[in-house]
Amino acid sequence: MSEFPLQMFIDLVSFDQKTYALEDEIQVVQQEVENLEQSQGELVSEQDRLNQKMYDAKKRVDRAELDMKGLEQQEKNEKKRLDSVQNQKEYQSINKEIVTLKKKQHDYEETLILAWNKFETAKKEHELGNKKYEEKIKALYVLIEEKKQKIKTLQADLQDRIAQRDEKKKDVPGEWMEKYVLMRSRVANPVVPVIGGNCTACFYNLPPQDALELRRRKLLQCKGCYRFLYNDQSG
């Protein structure tokens, strides 16, 4: 077999290895994008949690304020009733209710103050946390977009290589291609050089006759791992 198809075959193998490396790189970057998007989603969830915490705290304040106003209104209503009392007994009853309402207001002030304190704390956490999360989310967004652009560039390169492959394999014997495709489906490196008389994949020591055939630019299959072997001219 002439030297030309052997070299074309070796060149095709080298070309394919670079293509596989490009495909692997695309997968790595895609995984990085997924991880970054997950981190971004977690930050958004944490940001939503802070928003909800502040919202809930404000609702408790509003409810406490409303309850306090209700007590104040009840007191006002009872005081108005004093203007129309008919006897001492009725006056004492209303006055007793007013005193009770005042005590309820006094006791409820602690609840109202506590609600306001919790709201102020939640508001500060929201302001500080929201700024921090916004900065991180923005940084992740920029990084994600950069990696997505990188993926587009890599995919364009991959398409170019796929288009080039037909030209590179046209002078490779069909029998070699069939065996190469079959072996490639089983191992990542179906074609390896022989260095120092050994297969560089499984380290099988070639018989002298096989070593001679390789020096004559023949393509053989390793008897140890069945990979294609070629003579490494640098070895």
Side-chain angles (χ1 to χ4, degrees):
M1 186 170 291
S2 67
E3 181 175 339
F4 182 72
L6 177 60
Q7 188 58 53
M8 291 295 293
F9 182 60
I10 295 172
D11 289 345
L12 175 65
V13 171
S14 177
F15 180 85
D16 283 348
Q17 288 173 341
K18 291 178 181 178
T19 300
Y20 303 148
L22 185 59
E23 290 173 339
D24 289 343
E25 185 177 2
I26 290 173
Q27 289 183 356
V28 168
V29 180
Q30 286 175 333
Q31 185 60 55
E32 289 174 348
V33 169
E34 289 181 16
N35 292 341
L36 289 171
E37 287 178 337
Q38 182 178 347
S39 297
Q40 190 180 53
E42 290 171 356
L43 288 173
V44 171
S45 296
E46 189 62 24
Q47 192 177 39
D48 290 342
R49 186 190 67 79
L50 284 179
N51 290 338
Q52 188 64 45
K53 184 178 180 181
M54 185 179 70
Y55 174 76
D56 291 342
K58 185 61 170 63
K59 280 182 64 177
R60 286 191 290 271
V61 167
D62 292 342
R63 186 164 57 246
E65 291 277 10
L66 187 62
D67 290 344
M68 180 64 85
K69 287 180 179 179
L71 291 173
E72 291 172 351
Q73 186 60 49
Q74 289 181 50
E75 181 187 359
K76 289 180 181 179
N77 293 340
E78 292 300 319
K79 285 182 176 179
K80 286 182 179 180
R81 288 180 60 198
L82 284 177
D83 296 335
S84 58
V85 294
Q86 301 296 322
N87 52 63
Q88 184 65 23
K89 183 178 179 180
E90 186 179 358
Y91 176 86
Q92 289 177 346
S93 176
I94 294 174
N95 195 57
K96 183 179 179 181
E97 182 62 25
I98 291 173
V99 170
T100 300
L101 287 170
K102 283 182 176 294
K103 185 177 186 307
K104 285 183 178 180
Q105 291 176 59
H106 180 270
D107 293 342
Y108 202 71
E109 282 180 358
E110 184 176 348
T111 300
L112 182 58
I113 291 172
L114 182 61
W116 269 107
N117 287 341
K118 287 184 176 180
F119 170 67
E120 291 298 331
T121 299
K123 185 178 179 181
K124 288 179 181 178
E125 286 180 2
H126 176 267
E127 291 173 353
L128 295 174
N130 203 46
K131 181 179 179 181
K132 178 181 68 175
Y133 291 133
E134 283 292 346
E135 291 173 352
K136 288 184 176 181
I137 290 170
K138 183 178 179 181
L140 284 175
Y141 174 80
V142 172
L143 189 56
I144 288 170
E145 290 304 307
E146 289 176 354
K147 289 189 177 295
K148 284 184 176 179
Q149 186 57 50
K150 183 177 180 179
I151 290 172
K152 288 182 180 180
T153 301
L154 292 173
Q155 287 176 332
D157 292 344
L158 179 61
Q159 292 304 311
D160 288 343
R161 296 188 70 83
I162 291 173
Q164 295 173 38
R165 192 174 189 273
D166 286 342
E167 180 67 23
K168 289 186 175 293
K169 74 176 185 180
K170 69 178 184 178
D171 292 317
V172 178
E175 181 184 356
W176 291 7
M177 285 301 304
E178 288 178 9
K179 291 182 178 179
Y180 171 53
V181 171
L182 180 61
M183 183 61 71
R184 193 177 67 182
S185 67
R186 299 173 180 171
V187 294
N189 55 339
V191 183
V192 297
V194 171
I195 300 178
N198 297 313
C199 167
T200 52
C202 71
F203 305 105
Y204 173 79
N205 185 256
L206 272 68
Q209 183 60 37
D210 286 352
L212 180 61
E213 292 293 317
L214 287 175
R215 283 196 291 271
R216 291 175 178 172
R217 307 297 288 168
K218 294 291 183 68
L219 188 71
L220 302 177
Q221 278 188 283
C222 176
K223 292 180 176 63
C225 65
Y226 301 102
R227 287 175 171 83
F228 280 105
L229 301 175
Y230 66 91
N231 192 45
D232 184 10
Q233 296 300 302
S234 64

